[in-house]
Amino acid sequence: MSLVLLSAVLLPALAAALIGGSARAARMAALAVTAAVFGLCCVLAVRFPGGTAPFAAIDWPWLASSNGSLDIRFALAIDGLNLWLIVLSALLSVVCVLVSWTAVVERAAFFYRLLLLLETGMLGVFAAQDIIVFYIFFEFGLIPMFFLIGIWGSEERRRAAVKFFLYTLAGSLLTFLAIVTLVLWDGLVAGHAPLTFSIPELTARLQAAPMPLGVQLAVFAALWIGFAIKVPLFPLHTWLPLAHVQAPAAGSVLLAGVLLKIGVYGFLRFNLPMLPDASAWAVPVMLYLGVIGILYGALVALAQKDIKKLIAYSSVSHLGFCALGVFALNPAGVQGGALQMINHGLSTGGLFALVGMIYERYHTRNIAELGGLARRMPRLAFFMLLMSLASIGLPGLGGFVGELLVLIGAFQRGFTWPLDFWGIQFRAIAVAAVFGVVLGAWYMLWLIERVFFGPLSEPGHGDTNPPADLTARESLALVLLSVPIVAIGLWPELFLRPMADKLDELTAPARVRFESGKGTSSGHEATSAQTVAGSRLRSADEPLDRLRAPTPDRTSDRESRRPTEPAPGETGPAVSSGERTAVSSSEQIEVRGPNRAVSKAVRTGAMALKVGPTNTSQPCGSRALFVEDLPSFSLSLAEMRCSCSEKRPVANVRSVAEICRSIGCRA
Amino acid sequence: MTAELLLILLPEIVLAVAGVGICLGGAFARQRPRWHAIALAFAAVAAWCLYRFGGVDRFESLRAAAAAAGSPWLPPIAITPWVQFARWFAIGTVGLLLAMRSGQVPLAAEAEYVGSLLLLAVGVMLAASAEDLVLLFAALELVSIPTYLLLGVGRTDAQGREAALKYFILSVIASAMLVYGFAFLYGAAGSTRLPEMASVFAAGAPGRLAALGLIISIVALAFRLTAVPMHFYAPDVYQGTSSANGALLSVVPKAAGFFVLGRLLFDVVPLQAELCWRLLFALAVCSMTLGNLLALRQENIRRMLAYSSIAQSGYMLVGFCAALAGAGGLFDGAGAGEAARAAGGVAADWNGAAAVLFYLVVYGVAAIGVFAAIAALEVGGRRIDRIDQLAGLAYSRPWIAAALAVCLFSLTGLPPLAGFWGKLFLFGSALAAAVDPAGAAGTAKLFTALAIIGVLNAAVAAAYYLRVTAVMYFQKPSSDEPAEAAQPQALARADDRTTGPAVTALFAALLVIGLGLFAGPLHQAARRASPAEAIALPPAAAAPAPRE
């Protein structure tokens, strides 16, 4: 199986080196190669066993130093996250070759070579399991796309190609710095030698020993810039319309269908698993940017006069949905976001292919000049309507499943949050996202109505020389896209099940931190995990308090709870900062008390906390802490409502709920 | 002892004799022999001598023998892995330049040209291996004077003569500054021999005199490196001279400068690391920024390449800066650097000095490739000056255009080409210096800023490199091109004056791709050659933990 994956990734590059000759020979060869690669990817998809373990793994040493500390390996594997993205890339490459069959005449061999190199780049980005290999394929994909846009594009192609390249490159160079920092931090500061460049290993290490929040935020921001440009998220999207409009049809299909997914993929592969605290911190920002992208993209699309530009802005809108879903951080949202990536690739890829076909016939993309085309080309109109409805999210087609899951995720996040400052905003975001669906339907159906229905308007053609409807080749390309769209719509579980476990594994750490840090967790977890400072959350306390039987300890606890700092005689933790108390042990825990050395050690993360009363003579309500040599962990400080039924120290805990449970609290 | 030493120096001797001999022979030969081929043959012989006789172990055994005999042995040169890397680099680069065999050299002066190239190689090799300040200076002059010859010989056009004169005058000023700096170092140390100076400085605080000497020397060396503040000659000289000379100027003196700078910084005055890395930080940032920003505005391709050369020096200075201060850093007075070195290979692998050596090779190959590609286009005395003259090259000369594009992408630092690995190691060393917990306080933010500035500069640089590629591939050939350029050309042309550069350009492009795919061996070699591995630790230091 690993050989299958390796050949799928490298075969296009090899073929690119060998293809030459006439346009006819080149495109036949390209079709053969892309079809073969698609076949290999289908084999991989069929044989994928699910779960979180990597499948079809390749792990070759590439750049290793003799003392073993620098070990960059050529590592590829398939897991739940990248399985469908790889199949999508292979499928869209076949479609691109079919779409460009007659559209590209000049320097065709060079065109198909670039297309094949781009295919290797895309497959390699998704399959890479080594961080440097990922980056290499990530940047390498820019070069063929640069040439594709610049040579075979439309009027402003040179400017579009250069802007696309430089914009994306600037972001990805900062991502490069972040990547290297991740590796070096893990190696030098956390002290795990040898340095590892392997993504699964790095993820595991960084989850076991997370970086301090400040460093995490800086690295998150640097990673974010590169990926957010590719998504594209709202303020960084300005390269997209120009690049999409000026690119040739095949270029647009691959750009929209695959290259935009690399951004969301990067969030799921790097930001969320490796930087969980920063991700939890950044969730509101990302939710906002997602919903702004949805609405902004949709509104600007409504104003467009060029079909391609309209579809380009619709891409901004749809990828906003993906970002919203992924950063809702619940299973529904994340799976919805991931599935929506696939759906968007298929439907928007199809839309761009269709626009290319329209352009081949009429040499215009201006909506005002076209009209009533359904009468002339019923088959093309059929596919256009199908793709549009898929893009809108009609039930029965794939887009519906993705959008529904994303909205469910957003609503879950918004409406199960306590009704506080953040809760109101999350609710508003969820509701606004629904409007995005309506707007999406509006501009797409309006486009179809103006271009395909209504009075007939055909520049350059007439009743005497009508344009041809779809040829068999073009129909084949569109059928190749339509079948999966319908399949996802009718059997979504088939596509969601392979992804579910891996997506959950990747987003769980961030989700846990987010939910435990911001207030009540999703409701069923320990209700004692509440912040003590910040009376704004006190309103959530009351209903839960009433559920609990009052005990003498609890009343004394409540009295001593009033001042947020404990009395000086007591040893106990004090929350140093108000709002956020999901902390890593190196940051915000301030252990007061006689043992200054202990408190400093805890602050610098050298030691972890073990919880329990120092001596039995103290009342149970005192939150005494003493220290043990344990690996560091993340502690959510809270008031602990111990019932003093049993006091025994606990070790190696991950949440206050566990503390309470193991102390024997009735929480 | 002397005979043994001469045997070790055999490569230099062969090249020097060949160089002088070819220069003399050019005056006396009746018909014109193919001087380039003869010189290449001698270079091959020198390479074989280097391989066979020039090893580090041979030198170390000599040193051991002298120590056993009890007599004080003060050899004029020392062979360390750093020096070996420099010697191989010199022979390889000069060989590549010889293979270029550009038709831009006037035939009457061809012998002097070739001989000067060989002497240039000798100068680089001796400069890297010198153990005495006087010899070091003389070797650097042996790099400069043949460069004057190469720039000026046979030039009849005003631009060429202006370039040669400008380079000469500024180079003389820089050399004077260098001697001045060396004089201060001698005054502070009491000896001109580098090992003695090193022990004097290691024993006690070097003091202000040494710091002054070091600053002046570094700034003087910046001339050779085309780094700020001695970079002003670069645009005019590169613009005025031929492409072949441009290749030479952008690689060989720069390499010599870096090898000498490395020796000064790491061997001689280690306890000034604090001062030096701050100075290099400033020079690096200024060079990168100035070079990249000004290159954006250039219409002349050679001027643009000159500014890019300034920027590339800035990147390499980042590596030295990180090496002095950070995790790969060696000396910080408190011994933490030694502890870091002993603690593991992690720091050594991200050693800034190794990154610089790696980048020198990668940059040298790519720069020679770029200039060779331009030289290959200068058919029949026509000069390629403006970038617009390259329009549509992808149609008329697809192979040359591809080679030029590959080399330019490598200079940008795009994967999977070799330049990407170079930038990875350079900026990785800066980040390692930032991240390293054993590093000095306050350096973390500075080095993070340095890495970010470097990366942003790389993005800016991409703009002008990309512009050349865009002009080549996205524009049709302009109509005022000579007719021969409009037809698709095979590689070998009737006029073989451009075959050499064309072949060299293609070879450089292939080498760049190959080094990009298999960067391991070169990285290993650079790491072994870097001072962290090469320098003999004083006995009190901990031995590095073996990792094999």
Side-chain angles (χ1 to χ4, degrees):
Chain A
M1 272 299 122
S2 46
L3 209 54
V4 173
L5 177 61
L6 183 68
S7 43
V9 171
L10 290 183
L11 187 61
L14 277 171
L18 299 173
I19 279 188
S22 68
R24 208 182 125 75
R27 64 191 185 199
M28 297 293 284
L31 184 61
V33 170
T34 47
V37 171
F38 178 57
L40 292 172
C41 293
C42 287
V43 167
L44 286 169
V46 163
R47 301 283 289 267
F48 182 68
T52 58
F55 172 67
I58 293 170
D59 200 12
W60 295 343
W62 192 12
L63 191 74
S65 67
S66 56
N67 64 353
S69 68
L70 185 72
D71 195 15
I72 300 176
R73 310 181 75 86
F74 185 72
L76 305 171
I78 299 219
D79 57 18
L81 176 58
N82 58 21
L83 173 71
W84 295 121
L85 289 166
I86 288 181
V87 175
L88 177 73
S89 309
L91 176 63
L92 284 177
S93 301
V94 179
V95 169
C96 278
V97 173
L98 288 172
V99 161
S100 320
W101 203 257
T102 49
V104 171
V105 182
E106 191 187 300
R107 304 175 75 187
F110 190 32
F111 179 86
Y112 290 108
R113 273 204 287 264
L114 288 170
L115 210 58
L116 289 172
L117 280 178
L118 186 59
E119 185 176 7
T120 295
M122 297 187 304
L123 293 172
V125 161
F126 292 128
Q129 296 292 320
D130 179 290
I131 212 167
I132 298 287
V133 172
F134 167 82
Y135 185 74
I136 288 180
F137 280 117
F138 184 53
E139 291 242 326
F140 173 62
L142 295 181
I143 302 177
M145 188 51 87
F146 170 70
F147 285 114
L148 280 174
I149 298 180
I151 302 182
W152 290 277
S154 311
E155 324 76 46
E156 281 189 62
R157 58 185 180 277
R158 187 172 154 185
R159 194 167 82 90
V162 171
K163 185 168 183 180
F164 158 75
F165 191 90
L166 290 178
Y167 211 129
T168 329
L169 184 75
S172 60
L173 281 174
L174 283 166
T175 306
F176 167 63
L177 274 187
I179 285 177
V180 177
T181 308
L182 278 174
V183 173
L184 286 175
W185 181 278
D186 183 68
L188 292 175
V189 177
H192 298 126
L195 279 183
T196 181
F197 286 87
S198 150
I199 294 178
E201 246 181 81
L202 201 58
T203 313
R205 287 190 192 178
L206 283 172
Q207 280 177 2
M211 307 198 280
L213 185 64
V215 180
Q216 274 200 33
L217 283 175
V219 175
F220 186 93
L223 277 177
W224 179 88
I225 290 183
F227 294 137
I229 289 180
K230 279 204 112 65
V231 168
L233 281 179
F234 163 64
L236 300 172
H237 67 287
T238 51
W239 62 272
L240 182 85
L242 190 62
H244 268 137
V245 171
Q246 302 299 327
S252 297
V253 170
L254 285 177
L255 193 57
V258 182
L259 291 187
L260 296 188
K261 312 302 178 293
I262 298 179
V264 185
Y265 173 81
F267 285 135
L268 279 169
R269 180 68 83 190
F270 294 99
N271 286 39
L272 286 175
M274 294 188 187
L275 305 169
D277 299 297
S279 303
W281 188 94
V283 162
V285 177
M286 289 299 295
L287 290 178
Y288 265 116
L289 287 178
V291 81
I292 291 176
I294 296 176
L295 294 175
Y296 176 80
L299 288 172
V300 176
L302 271 171
Q304 294 306 317
K305 303 183 182 46
D306 179 326
I307 305 182
K308 245 181 163 177
K309 218 162 186 182
L310 189 150
I311 303 176
Y313 277 107
S314 86
S315 286
V316 176
S317 188
H318 283 113
L319 269 297
F321 266 108
C322 291
L324 184 70
V326 164
F327 274 90
L329 285 185
N330 44 28
V334 174
Q335 285 179 29
L339 191 64
Q340 193 62 355
M341 282 202 281
I342 313 293
N343 290 323
H344 174 262
L346 292 168
S347 57
T348 307
L351 283 172
F352 276 116
L354 284 158
V355 171
M357 292 168 197
I358 295 179
Y359 188 77
E360 257 189 85
R361 288 155 172 78
Y362 292 109
H363 301 291
T364 178
R365 293 187 305 263
N366 197 334
I367 298 179
E369 294 179 21
L370 299 167
L373 298 184
R375 227 167 301 160
R376 274 277 177 255
M377 301 183 291
R379 271 184 291 185
L380 192 142
F382 166 71
F383 279 110
M384 187 81 178
L385 197 56
L386 180 66
M387 296 294 171
S388 308
L389 291 172
S391 171
I392 293 170
L394 193 74
L397 300 175
F400 171 69
V401 184
E403 274 186 3
L404 181 67
L405 283 174
V406 166
L407 287 172
I408 287 180
F411 270 80
Q412 262 183 359
R413 176 60 64 211
F415 284 85
T416 55
W417 204 262
L419 194 66
D420 60 0
F421 174 69
W422 288 113
I424 296 179
Q425 294 180 51
F426 293 156
R427 286 164 171 80
I429 287 176
V431 172
V434 179
F435 280 111
V437 180
V438 176
L439 288 172
W442 189 358
Y443 61 73
M444 282 314 294
L445 290 177
W446 197 25
L447 170 72
I448 302 288
E449 193 256 329
R450 281 180 295 172
V451 173
F452 284 93
F453 300 113
L456 185 59
S457 159
E458 295 180 289
H461 289 271
D463 285 325
T464 48
N465 59 338
D469 202 352
L470 292 183
T471 63
R473 162 187 60 85
E474 291 169 333
S475 307
L476 173 65
L478 292 167
V479 164
L480 279 175
L481 289 174
S482 314
V483 167
I485 290 179
V486 174
I488 298 179
L490 295 180
W491 298 286
E493 185 62 18
L494 185 67
F495 295 87
L496 286 173
R497 201 176 333 121
M499 294 199 289
D501 292 328
K502 185 68 182 179
L503 286 175
D504 195 56
E505 186 199 13
L506 289 172
T507 54
R511 175 172 69 241
V512 164
R513 278 163 177 74
F514 180 60
E515 288 170 354
S516 62
K518 282 282 208 194
T520 54
S521 43
S522 46
H524 58 275
E525 251 300 293
T527 53
S528 55
Q530 291 176 28
T531 56
V532 62
S535 53
R536 55 179 176 80
L537 288 173
R538 224 164 262 294
S539 57
D541 280 315
E542 266 76 68
L544 299 165
D545 276 345
R546 273 184 251 118
L547 292 176
R548 226 167 271 115
T551 64
D553 301 303
R554 193 130 307 163
T555 44
S556 67
D557 206 15
R558 204 175 293 127
E559 278 154 19
S560 60
R561 203 198 318 152
R562 284 301 164 217
T564 53
E565 326 266 39
E570 262 185 325
T571 56
V575 180
S576 49
S577 73
E579 310 223 320
R580 188 168 310 280
T581 54
V583 299
S584 60
S585 58
S586 61
E587 289 242 328
Q588 294 175 17
I589 297 180
E590 190 181 359
V591 175
R592 299 227 191 122
N595 197 341
R596 296 269 174 237
V598 162
S599 54
K600 178 170 188 246
V602 165
R603 237 200 320 273
T604 57
M607 290 197 249
L609 295 177
K610 204 165 87 163
V611 178
T614 49
N615 56 55
T616 55
S617 66
Q618 285 189 341
C620 181
S622 71
R623 299 175 290 284
L625 299 165
F626 53 91
V627 188
E628 279 253 328
D629 280 315
L630 292 169
S632 61
F633 67 95
S634 188
L635 173 66
S636 179
L637 279 189
E639 288 198 338
M640 290 175 291
R641 297 148 205 217
C642 302
S643 67
C644 289
S645 60
E646 185 184 352
K647 304 184 199 35
R648 56 178 177 79
V650 300
N652 216 356
V653 295
R654 291 232 162 232
S655 74
V656 171
E658 256 186 81
I659 296 173
C660 284
R661 267 205 301 275
S662 51
I663 298 180
C665 294
R666 255 182 321 139
Chain B
M1 193 70 59
T2 315
E4 281 285 323
L5 206 56
L6 281 179
L7 202 60
I8 292 178
L9 279 175
L10 201 54
E12 282 91 336
I13 295 176
V14 164
L15 284 176
V17 165
V20 172
I22 291 178
C23 285
L24 287 177
F28 291 108
R30 200 78 36 119
Q31 321 108 300
R32 213 170 27 243
R34 301 171 71 94
W35 292 118
H36 281 89
I38 297 177
L40 263 179
F42 273 110
V45 168
W48 180 82
C49 292
L50 183 59
Y51 173 68
R52 177 81 178 77
F53 297 119
V56 180
D57 32 354
R58 195 178 275 261
F59 185 77
E60 287 303 318
S61 59
L62 267 188
R63 192 203 288 274
S71 59
W73 185 54
L74 306 171
I77 56 141
I79 307 290
T80 60
W82 178 271
V83 173
Q84 280 299 89
F85 194 94
R87 291 166 100 195
W88 278 111
F89 183 88
I91 290 189
T93 318
V94 166
L96 213 53
L97 287 169
L98 281 171
M100 251 172 81
R101 201 192 178 282
S102 158
Q104 296 167 344
V105 181
L107 286 177
E110 194 177 347
E112 280 89 346
Y113 192 90
V114 168
S116 305
L117 272 178
L118 292 177
L119 289 174
L120 206 66
V122 177
V124 175
M125 292 158 83
L126 280 180
S129 59
E131 280 279 274
D132 188 296
L133 279 181
V134 177
L135 181 59
L136 187 61
F137 179 72
L140 283 176
E141 286 304 294
L142 191 54
V143 173
S144 302
I145 295 177
T147 315
Y148 310 150
L149 265 177
L150 288 167
L151 284 176
V153 79
R155 295 258 142 239
T156 50
D157 54 320
Q159 266 196 323
R161 285 197 296 222
E162 179 197 340
L165 196 60
K166 201 170 266 194
Y167 186 82
F168 169 71
I169 292 181
L170 288 170
S171 172
V172 164
I173 295 177
S175 301
M177 274 184 75
L178 191 64
V179 174
Y180 196 44
F182 282 173
F184 278 123
L185 285 176
Y186 165 63
S191 159
T192 56
R193 284 189 56 82
L194 294 179
E196 268 92 38
M197 289 170 68
S199 53
V200 165
F201 290 138
R208 291 227 171 87
L209 207 58
L212 192 59
L214 206 55
I215 294 178
I216 296 179
S217 309
I218 290 178
V219 170
L221 281 173
F223 170 83
R224 247 165 256 289
L225 304 178
T226 55
V228 166
M230 306 281 276
H231 66 285
F232 295 100
Y233 72 96
D236 296 329
V237 172
Y238 281 49
Q239 181 182 3
T241 189
S242 67
S243 303
N245 284 337
L248 172 80
L249 276 179
S250 66
V251 178
V252 180
K254 195 182 300 236
F258 273 110
F259 291 130
V260 171
L261 189 63
R263 290 220 67 202
L264 273 184
L265 289 176
F266 298 125
D267 285 1
V268 175
V269 200
L271 289 183
Q272 290 292 353
E274 279 289 310
L275 166 72
C276 285
W277 78 253
R278 291 193 160 84
L279 178 63
L280 287 183
F281 186 99
L283 292 186
V285 169
C286 292
S287 302
M288 283 194 283
T289 318
L290 190 137
N292 281 317
L293 288 180
L294 288 178
L296 282 175
R297 307 182 51 86
Q298 300 306 319
E299 293 296 331
N300 183 310
I301 189 160
R302 261 192 283 272
R303 264 187 109 80
M304 186 201 88
L305 288 171
Y307 280 113
S308 103
S309 163
I310 296 175
Q312 302 280 350
S313 297
Y315 299 140
M316 290 192 258
L317 284 174
V318 166
F320 272 164
C321 187
L324 281 175
L330 312 165
F331 308 96
D332 59 357
E338 312 234 334
R341 217 176 348 151
V346 172
D349 271 321
W350 294 95
N351 185 350
V356 170
L357 289 179
F358 183 92
Y359 198 83
L360 262 178
V361 173
V362 161
Y363 163 72
V365 171
I368 291 181
V370 169
F371 280 106
I374 298 177
L377 300 168
E378 294 176 328
V379 178
R382 180 171 66 98
R383 277 171 70 96
I384 300 279
D385 277 320
R386 295 186 327 277
I387 297 181
D388 303 335
Q389 286 177 279
L390 294 175
L393 203 62
Y395 294 93
S396 50
R397 307 282 301 270
W399 288 105
I400 301 289
L404 189 54
V406 166
C407 291
L408 285 174
F409 280 139
S410 173
L411 287 174
T412 318
L414 284 176
L417 302 171
F420 162 70
W421 295 107
K423 290 231 163 59
L424 169 68
F425 293 132
L426 274 179
F427 294 135
S429 70
L431 281 175
V435 156
D436 184 24
T443 60
K445 288 205 170 51
L446 277 177
F447 276 98
T448 318
L450 186 63
I452 294 180
I453 291 175
V455 149
L456 289 176
N457 270 298
V460 170
Y464 57 82
Y465 289 131
L466 211 64
R467 201 174 85 199
V468 179
T469 317
V471 164
M472 282 197 298
Y473 277 88
F474 300 160
Q475 288 181 8
K476 295 287 195 314
S478 55
S479 55
D480 62 0
E481 296 289 297
E484 62 211 344
Q487 310 162 18
Q489 294 289 352
L491 186 55
R493 300 167 45 77
D495 173 7
D496 77 343
R497 295 290 201 81
T498 55
T499 313
V503 168
T504 311
L506 278 180
F507 178 69
L510 283 175
L511 201 56
V512 156
I513 296 177
L515 282 176
L517 293 176
F518 301 105
L522 183 61
H523 176 67
Q524 282 298 89
R527 205 173 63 84
R528 273 197 299 271
S530 67
E533 311 277 315
I535 193 170
L537 291 177
R547 286 230 162 212
E548 299 281 356

